Amino acid sequence: MSNKMHIKLNVNGEGHEFLAEPRELLIYTLRERLNITGPHIGCETSHCGACTVTINGKSVKACTMFVAQADGADITTIEGLGGPDNMHVLQEAFREHHGLQCGYCTPGMITRASKLLEENPNPTEEEVRFGMAGNICRCTGYQNIVKSILAAASELNAAKEAAE
Amino acid sequence: MIPASFDYHRPSDMDGVIALLKEHGDDARVLAGGHSLIPMMKLRMAEVPHLIDLQSIESLRGISINGSRVTIGAMVTQHDIINHSELTKVAPIMRETSLQIADPQVRYMGTVGGNVANGDPGNDMPGLMQCLDATLHLVGPDGTREVAARDYYEAAYVTAREEDEVLTAISFDAPSGGYSYEKQKRKIGDYATAAAAVTIQTSGGKVSSASIAMTNLSDVPVWSEAAADALVGTACDADAIKAAVNAMLDDIDPTEDNRGPVAFKRHVAGIILTRAITRAWDRA
């Protein structure tokens, strides 16, 4: 059955065009077709959040979206937030506060947290926990993840104030 | 996971959707947020040769409030509901319920229409729609029609919607008085072990009217007139609440699954309903 579609994606500011079967899950498109391997496959059943990316301003689990649905979308992955030479404030905070152990869940955590802080720049601890409830970590017990996100929020707010 | 192959359609209006449904019949299904259908397709428990994505149909997106009448388009997401301050002002039970559905990522995608229309006994909106006596708006090849939420659910995944019909919106009169949506679940993202939607109106310190529905305790949502009647004329004292709970326990029909045996579910149902009534009364 040849029902390939012409797909256009904008990922981390870069345009991509290719032919794909509509049934391809977006997480595979990102990882295997575009070699963007920051978003991870954890459970592949929309529970764990390791595959979280930002699609048209929404935090989405990329294992539960067909590439066809994302046709025309703007996507940001962890790679679009920062890398070893230009770390995002959240990445710095996770390093500083030991917000990870094995690191497998971290790209999804940070990508989700970036959207959370965009929507709620000054969250309480409870709001961080509620807003991060779609991401599972099996190492840290979450304490340091929450600490990292709260620290990043303070840092971002301080930077904003300094700029004003 | 690789679902069965399908052709993808993204029409820009409802006429396009209806035409595709007419053309492909049982081979076509509409896709809203996809967080029920895509997992089923990944497991190959659902095979959909023609998938019709509703994401580009603007007419399915709005929330409108006209006096006390609330209309919510089928493609409005739980995230939209949570962040809609005007809706929260007139019908806070919508936000209270939406906050208890799934997790943040799923709520960005999950829609009112999908939750209501699918007929999944685990979904939260069907019980809430019955509690609110909502009207479901359907469109099909023969035009539009309305079905009361209380008449819509026939069995698990079996509803009054015909194969070639699509739910376009729900509407209801915003309830006055007190409200509560209480849900017991094993973890974030799980369906309810038991959940209850309650609204209570009062007059002269007594319950003048009430509406009570529960979720995931039968193969359909359970709106219990007898449970509500047990509260009317009382001050929601312990005996009245107990009578309402007993009436509801007569109406539910839970089955054993990985959330527990029947006796446990009945126990949890009683606790959740007691909490929901108590909170709705406190807010009335």
Side-chain angles (χ1 to χ4, degrees):
Chain A
M1 190 164 172
S2 171
N3 64 346
K4 286 193 173 175
M5 273 178 72
H6 184 232
I7 305 273
K8 268 188 183 176
L9 300 179
N10 189 323
V11 188
N12 302 324
E14 200 180 316
H16 298 272
E17 293 191 36
F18 49 89
L19 288 172
E21 283 193 68
R23 65 174 167 172
E24 186 172 296
L25 294 168
L26 182 64
I27 187 64
Y28 287 105
T29 309
L30 294 171
R31 290 181 56 81
E32 295 181 5
R33 188 183 286 278
L34 305 179
N35 207 23
I36 297 169
T37 55
H40 289 166
I41 298 172
C43 67
E44 218 185 329
T45 56
S46 60
H47 289 96
C48 79
C51 63
T52 300
V53 299
T54 308
I55 302 177
N56 294 337
K58 303 167 170 192
S59 293
V60 173
K61 295 177 177 177
C63 76
T64 308
M65 179 174 276
F66 294 123
V67 68
Q69 291 172 277
D71 183 27
D74 275 315
I75 300 174
T76 304
T77 70
I78 186 72
E79 287 90 341
L81 294 178
D85 301 325
N86 61 332
M87 294 233 279
H88 187 274
V89 174
L90 275 159
Q91 290 170 315
E92 288 280 11
F94 270 65
R95 182 168 74 174
E96 180 71 22
H97 297 275
H98 203 63
L100 62 144
Q101 287 179 27
C102 85
Y104 199 84
C105 70
T106 314
M109 286 281 177
I110 291 180
T111 308
R112 168 59 196 146
S114 71
K115 188 70 207 161
L116 172 64
L117 294 186
E118 204 182 298
E119 291 181 355
N120 181 1
N122 212 356
T124 62
E125 178 183 337
E126 197 186 352
E127 285 167 343
V128 168
R129 288 182 181 275
F130 192 75
M132 296 300 296
N135 293 74
I136 292 173
C137 172
R138 296 279 93 135
C139 306
T140 63
Y142 301 100
Q143 298 290 352
N144 287 351
I145 291 173
V146 173
K147 218 184 278 176
S148 304
I149 295 168
L150 289 169
S154 304
E155 183 119 341
L156 285 165
N157 289 334
K160 216 185 295 166
E161 257 171 53
E164 275 164 10
Chain B
M1 295 165 109
I2 304 171
S5 193
F6 58 83
D7 283 330
Y8 175 82
H9 308 270
R10 196 192 287 181
S12 55
D13 56 35
M14 282 313 294
D15 288 346
V17 176
I18 298 301
L20 284 163
L21 284 171
K22 221 169 158 177
E23 182 182 346
H24 299 293
D26 287 354
D27 280 350
R29 274 191 76 173
V30 297
L31 177 78
H35 278 54
S36 298
L37 183 56
I38 294 174
M40 298 289 274
M41 292 172 71
K42 285 161 72 176
L43 293 167
R44 299 216 179 197
M45 289 165 76
E47 214 181 305
V48 183
H50 291 274
L51 192 63
I52 306 169
D53 189 345
L54 301 178
Q55 68 167 286
S56 291
I57 300 173
E58 283 306 315
S59 63
L60 300 180
R61 288 207 180 265
I63 297 176
S64 74
I65 298 163
N66 194 348
S68 68
R69 193 70 184 172
V70 175
T71 304
I72 301 178
M75 287 296 281
V76 169
T77 64
Q78 282 114 37
H79 181 82
D80 295 333
I81 287 175
I82 289 165
N83 291 289
H84 200 283
S85 52
E86 204 189 338
L87 176 64
T88 299
K89 214 175 287 170
V90 301
I93 197 169
M94 290 300 296
R95 182 172 197 268
E96 182 158 294
T97 304
S98 297
L99 283 168
Q100 296 179 66
I101 295 174
D103 65 41
Q105 284 94 319
V106 176
R107 291 194 291 266
Y108 282 100
M109 294 300 294
T111 63
V112 172
N115 207 289
V116 166
N118 205 19
D120 182 342
N123 282 345
D124 293 278
M125 286 291 169
L128 176 58
M129 292 300 113
Q130 292 199 341
C131 173
L132 297 174
D133 197 13
T135 300
L136 312 187
H137 302 262
L138 302 171
V139 64
D142 302 326
T144 60
R145 70 183 178 112
E146 297 177 355
V147 180
R150 291 175 188 171
D151 297 330
Y152 183 76
Y153 301 95
E154 294 168 359
Y157 304 103
V158 180
T159 68
R161 186 182 61 81
E162 301 294 338
E163 292 286 336
D164 54 3
E165 287 182 313
V166 182
L167 178 80
T168 55
I170 59 103
S171 63
F172 59 88
D173 284 325
S176 57
Y179 67 92
S180 177
Y181 194 79
E182 287 277 344
K183 179 176 179 180
Q184 166 66 42
K185 54 190 174 182
R186 298 172 303 174
K187 58 177 270 294
I188 290 284
D190 191 21
Y191 289 126
T193 304
V198 176
T199 59
I200 289 178
Q201 289 77 41
T202 58
S203 152
K206 299 237 163 105
V207 175
S208 55
S209 60
S211 182
I212 301 177
M214 293 197 80
T215 282
N216 220 12
L217 293 162
S218 174
D219 64 346
V220 290
V222 179
W223 176 71
S224 174
E225 206 167 1
D229 285 348
L231 297 180
V232 173
T234 76
C236 259
D237 52 90
D239 285 346
I241 293 175
K242 209 169 167 188
V245 167
N246 284 336
M248 177 58 86
L249 290 178
D250 281 343
D251 287 346
I252 63 173
D253 184 22
T255 50
E256 178 170 341
D257 60 18
N258 56 6
R259 291 180 190 84
V262 170
F264 175 71
K265 291 190 170 185
R266 294 178 65 81
H267 173 71
V268 176
I271 290 172
I272 289 301
L273 183 53
T274 301
R275 280 186 201 163
I277 292 171
T278 304
R279 199 135 66 104
W281 169 253
D282 286 346
R283 286 165 164 173

mmCIF file of all heavy atoms in Angstrom, chain B residues 215-238:
data_model
loop_
_atom_site.group_PDB
_atom_site.id
_atom_site.type_symbol
_atom_site.label_atom_id
_atom_site.label_comp_id
_atom_site.label_asym_id
_atom_site.label_seq_id
_atom_site.Cartn_x
_atom_site.Cartn_y
_atom_site.Cartn_z
ATOM 1 N N THR B 215 -18.994 7.745 37.486
ATOM 2 C CA THR B 215 -18.220 7.301 36.321
ATOM 3 C C THR B 215 -17.442 6.021 36.601
ATOM 4 O O THR B 215 -16.934 5.842 37.709
ATOM 5 C CB THR B 215 -17.232 8.436 35.927
ATOM 6 O OG1 THR B 215 -17.957 9.435 35.234
ATOM 7 C CG2 THR B 215 -16.115 7.941 35.048
ATOM 8 N N ASN B 216 -17.368 5.183 35.596
ATOM 9 C CA ASN B 216 -16.558 3.951 35.595
ATOM 10 C C ASN B 216 -17.032 2.914 36.611
ATOM 11 O O ASN B 216 -16.244 2.127 37.119
ATOM 12 C CB ASN B 216 -15.071 4.263 35.811
ATOM 13 C CG ASN B 216 -14.201 3.376 34.923
ATOM 14 O OD1 ASN B 216 -14.712 2.708 34.012
ATOM 15 N ND2 ASN B 216 -12.915 3.352 35.176
ATOM 16 N N LEU B 217 -18.322 2.939 36.899
ATOM 17 C CA LEU B 217 -18.881 1.968 37.838
ATOM 18 C C LEU B 217 -19.978 1.128 37.168
ATOM 19 O O LEU B 217 -20.739 0.433 37.830
ATOM 20 C CB LEU B 217 -19.448 2.697 39.059
ATOM 21 C CG LEU B 217 -18.355 3.375 39.890
ATOM 22 C CD1 LEU B 217 -18.943 4.432 40.810
ATOM 23 C CD2 LEU B 217 -17.571 2.342 40.707
ATOM 24 N N SER B 218 -20.015 1.203 35.848
ATOM 25 C CA SER B 218 -20.962 0.437 35.045
ATOM 26 C C SER B 218 -20.427 0.543 33.617
ATOM 27 O O SER B 218 -19.410 1.188 33.393
ATOM 28 C CB SER B 218 -22.355 1.061 35.175
ATOM 29 O OG SER B 218 -23.252 0.409 34.295
ATOM 30 N N ASP B 219 -21.077 -0.069 32.644
ATOM 31 C CA ASP B 219 -20.574 0.088 31.278
ATOM 32 C C ASP B 219 -21.048 1.393 30.644
ATOM 33 O O ASP B 219 -20.700 1.702 29.511
ATOM 34 C CB ASP B 219 -20.914 -1.130 30.403
ATOM 35 C CG ASP B 219 -22.416 -1.312 30.226
ATOM 36 O OD1 ASP B 219 -23.196 -0.673 30.976
ATOM 37 O OD2 ASP B 219 -22.817 -2.082 29.343
ATOM 38 N N VAL B 220 -21.846 2.138 31.393
ATOM 39 C CA VAL B 220 -22.257 3.486 30.988
ATOM 40 C C VAL B 220 -22.169 4.384 32.223
ATOM 41 O O VAL B 220 -22.127 3.883 33.347
ATOM 42 C CB VAL B 220 -23.710 3.495 30.440
ATOM 43 C CG1 VAL B 220 -23.803 2.788 29.107
ATOM 44 C CG2 VAL B 220 -24.668 2.870 31.451
ATOM 45 N N PRO B 221 -22.154 5.715 32.014
ATOM 46 C CA PRO B 221 -22.218 6.578 33.203
ATOM 47 C C PRO B 221 -23.547 6.364 33.919
ATOM 48 O O PRO B 221 -24.543 6.004 33.292
ATOM 49 C CB PRO B 221 -22.105 7.992 32.626
ATOM 50 C CG PRO B 221 -22.420 7.876 31.174
ATOM 51 C CD PRO B 221 -22.068 6.477 30.765
ATOM 52 N N VAL B 222 -23.543 6.577 35.232
ATOM 53 C CA VAL B 222 -24.765 6.313 36.003
ATOM 54 C C VAL B 222 -25.292 7.609 36.612
ATOM 55 O O VAL B 222 -24.707 8.151 37.558
ATOM 56 C CB VAL B 222 -24.501 5.280 37.122
ATOM 57 C CG1 VAL B 222 -25.786 5.040 37.915
ATOM 58 C CG2 VAL B 222 -23.987 3.976 36.537
ATOM 59 N N TRP B 223 -26.358 8.130 36.014
ATOM 60 C CA TRP B 223 -27.045 9.273 36.592
ATOM 61 C C TRP B 223 -28.183 8.711 37.430
ATOM 62 O O TRP B 223 -29.024 7.980 36.918
ATOM 63 C CB TRP B 223 -27.590 10.186 35.485
ATOM 64 C CG TRP B 223 -28.384 11.342 36.011
ATOM 65 C CD1 TRP B 223 -27.892 12.420 36.679
ATOM 66 C CD2 TRP B 223 -29.794 11.531 35.923
ATOM 67 N NE1 TRP B 223 -28.912 13.280 37.010
ATOM 68 C CE2 TRP B 223 -30.095 12.761 36.560
ATOM 69 C CE3 TRP B 223 -30.837 10.794 35.371
ATOM 70 C CZ2 TRP B 223 -31.387 13.252 36.659
ATOM 71 C CZ3 TRP B 223 -32.132 11.282 35.470
ATOM 72 C CH2 TRP B 223 -32.398 12.512 36.106
ATOM 73 N N SER B 224 -28.171 8.986 38.723
ATOM 74 C CA SER B 224 -29.147 8.363 39.620
ATOM 75 C C SER B 224 -30.130 9.391 40.150
ATOM 76 O O SER B 224 -29.789 10.225 40.986
ATOM 77 C CB SER B 224 -28.428 7.684 40.787
ATOM 78 O OG SER B 224 -29.376 7.211 41.721
ATOM 79 N N GLU B 225 -31.335 9.301 39.637
ATOM 80 C CA GLU B 225 -32.395 10.198 40.101
ATOM 81 C C GLU B 225 -32.725 9.899 41.566
ATOM 82 O O GLU B 225 -32.957 10.802 42.361
ATOM 83 C CB GLU B 225 -33.638 10.004 39.218
ATOM 84 C CG GLU B 225 -34.515 11.211 39.157
ATOM 85 C CD GLU B 225 -35.560 11.116 38.036
ATOM 86 O OE1 GLU B 225 -35.604 10.081 37.323
ATOM 87 O OE2 GLU B 225 -36.316 12.084 37.876
ATOM 88 N N ALA B 226 -32.690 8.609 41.913
ATOM 89 C CA ALA B 226 -33.027 8.212 43.295
ATOM 90 C C ALA B 226 -32.018 8.787 44.284
ATOM 91 O O ALA B 226 -32.385 9.208 45.392
ATOM 92 C CB ALA B 226 -33.070 6.685 43.398
ATOM 93 N N ALA B 227 -30.744 8.817 43.888
ATOM 94 C CA ALA B 227 -29.722 9.368 44.790
ATOM 95 C C ALA B 227 -29.974 10.849 45.026
ATOM 96 O O ALA B 227 -29.887 11.344 46.164
ATOM 97 C CB ALA B 227 -28.331 9.146 44.197
ATOM 98 N N ALA B 228 -30.300 11.579 43.955
ATOM 99 C CA ALA B 228 -30.576 13.011 44.102
ATOM 100 C C ALA B 228 -31.832 13.233 44.941
ATOM 101 O O ALA B 228 -31.860 14.098 45.829
ATOM 102 C CB ALA B 228 -30.737 13.660 42.724
ATOM 103 N N ASP B 229 -32.865 12.427 44.674
ATOM 104 C CA ASP B 229 -34.125 12.570 45.427
ATOM 105 C C ASP B 229 -33.903 12.385 46.925
ATOM 106 O O ASP B 229 -34.601 13.000 47.737
ATOM 107 C CB ASP B 229 -35.154 11.540 44.934
ATOM 108 C CG ASP B 229 -35.741 11.934 43.578
ATOM 109 O OD1 ASP B 229 -35.518 13.092 43.162
ATOM 110 O OD2 ASP B 229 -36.389 11.083 42.943
ATOM 111 N N ALA B 230 -32.942 11.518 47.285
ATOM 112 C CA ALA B 230 -32.694 11.258 48.703
ATOM 113 C C ALA B 230 -32.172 12.490 49.433
ATOM 114 O O ALA B 230 -32.237 12.576 50.657
ATOM 115 C CB ALA B 230 -31.707 10.096 48.853
ATOM 116 N N LEU B 231 -31.626 13.443 48.668
ATOM 117 C CA LEU B 231 -31.110 14.661 49.307
ATOM 118 C C LEU B 231 -32.147 15.772 49.387
ATOM 119 O O LEU B 231 -32.059 16.656 50.249
ATOM 120 C CB LEU B 231 -29.904 15.189 48.524
ATOM 121 C CG LEU B 231 -28.671 14.298 48.437
ATOM 122 C CD1 LEU B 231 -27.587 15.003 47.616
ATOM 123 C CD2 LEU B 231 -28.133 13.946 49.827
ATOM 124 N N VAL B 232 -33.117 15.750 48.475
ATOM 125 C CA VAL B 232 -34.072 16.868 48.392
ATOM 126 C C VAL B 232 -34.887 16.970 49.676
ATOM 127 O O VAL B 232 -35.373 15.975 50.201
ATOM 128 C CB VAL B 232 -34.992 16.696 47.160
ATOM 129 C CG1 VAL B 232 -36.093 17.761 47.151
ATOM 130 C CG2 VAL B 232 -34.164 16.772 45.875
ATOM 131 N N GLY B 233 -34.984 18.209 50.183
ATOM 132 C CA GLY B 233 -35.745 18.455 51.405
ATOM 133 C C GLY B 233 -34.946 18.248 52.681
ATOM 134 O O GLY B 233 -35.439 18.499 53.773
ATOM 135 N N THR B 234 -33.704 17.793 52.549
ATOM 136 C CA THR B 234 -32.859 17.587 53.729
ATOM 137 C C THR B 234 -31.821 18.697 53.825
ATOM 138 O O THR B 234 -31.640 19.481 52.890
ATOM 139 C CB THR B 234 -32.095 16.251 53.664
ATOM 140 O OG1 THR B 234 -30.998 16.391 52.740
ATOM 141 C CG2 THR B 234 -32.995 15.116 53.200
ATOM 142 N N ALA B 235 -31.112 18.729 54.946
ATOM 143 C CA ALA B 235 -29.992 19.657 55.122
ATOM 144 C C ALA B 235 -28.681 18.920 54.891
ATOM 145 O O ALA B 235 -27.643 19.268 55.459
ATOM 146 C CB ALA B 235 -30.040 20.298 56.501
ATOM 147 N N CYS B 236 -28.730 17.910 54.071
ATOM 148 C CA CYS B 236 -27.539 17.111 53.739
ATOM 149 C C CYS B 236 -26.841 16.601 55.001
ATOM 150 O O CYS B 236 -25.614 16.626 55.109
ATOM 151 C CB CYS B 236 -26.568 17.918 52.875
ATOM 152 S SG CYS B 236 -26.665 17.507 51.130
ATOM 153 N N ASP B 237 -27.626 16.140 55.946
ATOM 154 C CA ASP B 237 -27.067 15.544 57.149
ATOM 155 C C ASP B 237 -26.550 14.139 56.815
ATOM 156 O O ASP B 237 -26.768 13.637 55.705
ATOM 157 C CB ASP B 237 -28.153 15.474 58.235
ATOM 158 C CG ASP B 237 -29.394 14.797 57.692
ATOM 159 O OD1 ASP B 237 -29.488 13.564 57.799
ATOM 160 O OD2 ASP B 237 -30.244 15.516 57.096
ATOM 161 N N ALA B 238 -25.918 13.522 57.782
ATOM 162 C CA ALA B 238 -25.260 12.231 57.535
ATOM 163 C C ALA B 238 -26.261 11.178 57.046
ATOM 164 O O ALA B 238 -25.937 10.389 56.151
ATOM 165 C CB ALA B 238 -24.562 11.759 58.812
#
